[in-house]
């Protein structure tokens, strides 16, 4: 039997559904079915009962799932031990960025990591916070940055800082700021429609201040929002570094501060990677760049 067959077996058991398992494994449903059939043939044991609602483990499947998990764990431990045997750490890790690289201190991270561990390579992907978490859980990413707390129990989080957002107002509407948020409520508000933890702050924020913007422009992506605010196309929520960047590319942008517009920034990774020396090295350098313990 092959390790990939055991992995497929465990994932199908966890998902209880061939289609969901195929998405998580990044393969086709027929391939997932073929892996399960080949494993059942080799073991001469029925592992699943196919039902209209999905896949249910047989009694034998329940018992063998634990054995399969132990085999996969042993394979991971073997790989980790091999990494530890060398004089120098070697490995590739995929890293998800939920916002701009400048804010996440990626250049200092790459510089610091490269000086101490030149044979560790980070493969960087840009994703939203929710997507970063899902990709880590499903094995598409090894680690990443998110706003808010992890949604999945198998993910560890290292708190970096409380990230503050500001109401960013283009210079053409500067005079309206004298009236507070009520003076801005009828302006275009540029919002990110994605499943972003920041959005969880916005509705309570508007409600607590008694306003309901009627003119909303939905834009996907921090950089685009920043450019539109700088061009005077609307009001939005930006971090301090984004307000400064907007000032560099357009007309002056002003920031209104509110205590409730803050959210935790975290570095996240799978709990089972706790023993991985390459992950440990990356974590230590993230902490160093963010000056956290």
């Amino acid at each position: 039997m092959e390790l990939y067959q055991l992995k497929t077996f465990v994932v199908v058991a966890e998902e209880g559904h061939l289609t969901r398992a195929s998405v998580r494994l990044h393969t086709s449903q027929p391939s997932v079915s073929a892996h399960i059939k080949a494993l059942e043939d080799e073991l001469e044991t029925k592992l699943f009962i196919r039902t209209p609602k999905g896949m249910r483990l047989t009694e034998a499947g329940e018992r063998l799932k634990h054995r399969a998990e132990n085999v996969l764990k042993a394979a991971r431990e073997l790989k980790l031990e091999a990494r530890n045997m060398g004089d120098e750490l070697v490995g590739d890790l995929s890293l998800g960025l939920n916002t701009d690289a400048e804010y996440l201190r990626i250049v200092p991270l790459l510089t610091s990591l490269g000086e101490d561990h030149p044979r560790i390579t980070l493969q960087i992907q840009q994703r939203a916070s929710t997507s970063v978490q899902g990709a880590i859980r499903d094995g598409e990413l090894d680690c990443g940055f998110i706003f808010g707390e992890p949604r999945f129990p198998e993910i560890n989080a290292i708190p970096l800082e409380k990230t503050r957002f500001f109401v960013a107002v283009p210079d053409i509407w500067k005079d309206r700021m004298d009236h507070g948020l009520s003076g801005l409520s009828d302006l275009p508000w540029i919002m990110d429609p994605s499943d972003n933890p920041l959005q969880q702050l916005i509705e309570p924020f508007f409600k607590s201040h008694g306003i309901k913007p009627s003119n909303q422009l939905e834009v996907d992506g921090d950089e685009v929002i920043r450019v539109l605010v700088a061009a005077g196309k609307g009001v939005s929520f930006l971090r301090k570094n984004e307000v400064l960047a907007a000032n560099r590319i357009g007309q002056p942008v002003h920031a209104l501060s509110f205590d409730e517009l803050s959210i935790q920034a975290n570095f996240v990774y799978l709990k089972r990677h706790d023993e991985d020396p390459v992950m440990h090295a990356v974590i230590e350098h993230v902490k160093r760049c963010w000056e956290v313990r």
Side-chain angles (χ1 to χ4, degrees):
M1 72 189 68
E2 303 291 341
L3 286 176
Y4 69 81
Q5 293 173 335
L6 295 180
K7 182 177 180 182
T8 298
F9 168 40
V10 170
V11 171
V12 171
E14 290 174 348
E15 295 293 339
H17 200 277
L18 288 174
T19 301
R20 290 197 297 269
S22 67
V23 170
R24 185 167 158 189
L25 291 164
H26 311 293
T27 189
S28 66
Q29 184 175 323
S31 294
V32 172
S33 296
H35 294 174
I36 296 300
K37 185 178 185 306
L39 189 59
E40 288 180 327
D41 289 346
E42 184 166 354
L43 296 174
E44 298 181 352
T45 304
K46 194 81 167 173
L47 299 173
F48 292 97
I49 298 171
R50 278 75 169 172
T51 75
K53 293 184 178 180
M55 306 285 282
R56 189 174 79 245
L57 284 169
T58 62
E59 184 178 345
E62 288 278 6
R63 294 172 60 187
L64 292 174
K65 175 176 177 284
H66 298 299
R67 293 292 185 95
E69 289 170 335
N70 288 336
V71 171
L72 293 171
K73 180 180 178 184
R76 288 194 299 269
E77 290 174 348
L78 178 65
K79 185 177 180 181
L80 295 179
E81 186 169 348
R83 280 182 168 181
N84 276 318
M85 289 172 64
D87 296 331
E88 191 174 21
L89 287 179
V90 180
D92 298 334
L93 288 183
S94 51
L95 173 70
L97 309 188
N98 69 324
T99 189
D100 62 275
E102 178 186 11
Y103 172 73
L104 295 175
R105 311 182 189 186
I106 298 305
V107 172
L109 173 61
L110 293 176
T111 301
S112 175
L113 188 65
E115 289 173 352
D116 287 359
H117 305 289
R119 299 185 67 188
I120 293 179
T121 302
L122 292 182
Q123 300 165 345
I124 296 173
Q125 298 181 26
Q126 192 82 41
R127 293 173 178 254
S129 289
T130 304
S131 176
V132 168
Q133 296 184 61
I136 290 174
R137 183 198 60 176
D138 295 343
E140 298 174 36
L141 289 174
D142 295 304
C143 52
F145 297 91
I146 67 169
F147 291 135
E149 299 305 317
R151 298 184 176 188
F152 308 112
E154 57 266 46
I155 292 180
N156 263 350
I158 298 173
L160 302 176
E161 72 170 16
K162 276 285 189 181
T163 302
R164 294 194 65 190
F165 286 82
F166 299 81
V167 174
V169 183
D171 194 58
I172 56 172
W173 296 312
K174 178 183 177 181
D175 293 344
R176 291 192 178 221
M177 294 171 61
D178 295 337
H179 304 286
L181 284 176
S182 60
L184 307 173
S185 61
D186 63 335
L187 296 176
W189 284 77
I190 304 171
M191 313 291 253
D192 185 341
S194 66
D195 185 11
N196 187 322
L198 173 62
Q199 303 309 311
Q200 299 171 17
L201 300 178
I202 292 174
E203 187 174 346
F205 172 73
F206 284 145
K207 188 173 181 179
S208 67
H209 289 274
I211 67 169
K212 187 175 182 180
S214 56
N215 187 3
Q216 295 189 24
L217 173 64
E218 292 190 347
V219 176
D220 188 5
D222 295 346
E223 185 176 352
V224 179
I225 292 174
R226 192 162 61 237
V227 169
L228 290 176
V229 173
K233 299 302 181 182
V235 178
S236 192
F237 299 92
L238 300 178
R239 296 186 308 274
K240 192 66 176 179
N241 74 301
E242 293 179 305
V243 173
L244 295 174
N247 273 285
R248 291 195 295 267
I249 61 176
Q251 296 299 313
V253 173
H254 307 277
L256 287 173
S257 175
F258 299 89
D259 290 340
E260 63 265 46
L261 288 176
S262 63
I263 193 166
Q264 183 68 48
N266 291 301
F267 179 79
V268 291
Y269 62 97
L270 278 180
K271 289 180 179 177
R272 71 166 184 250
H273 286 163
D274 268 337
E275 309 262 339
D276 187 340
V278 173
M279 183 65 75
H280 267 285
V282 172
I283 290 170
E284 287 308 308
H285 283 268
V286 168
K287 288 181 176 180
R288 184 186 302 178
C289 290
W290 284 84
E291 300 178 349
V292 299
R293 294 183 179 180

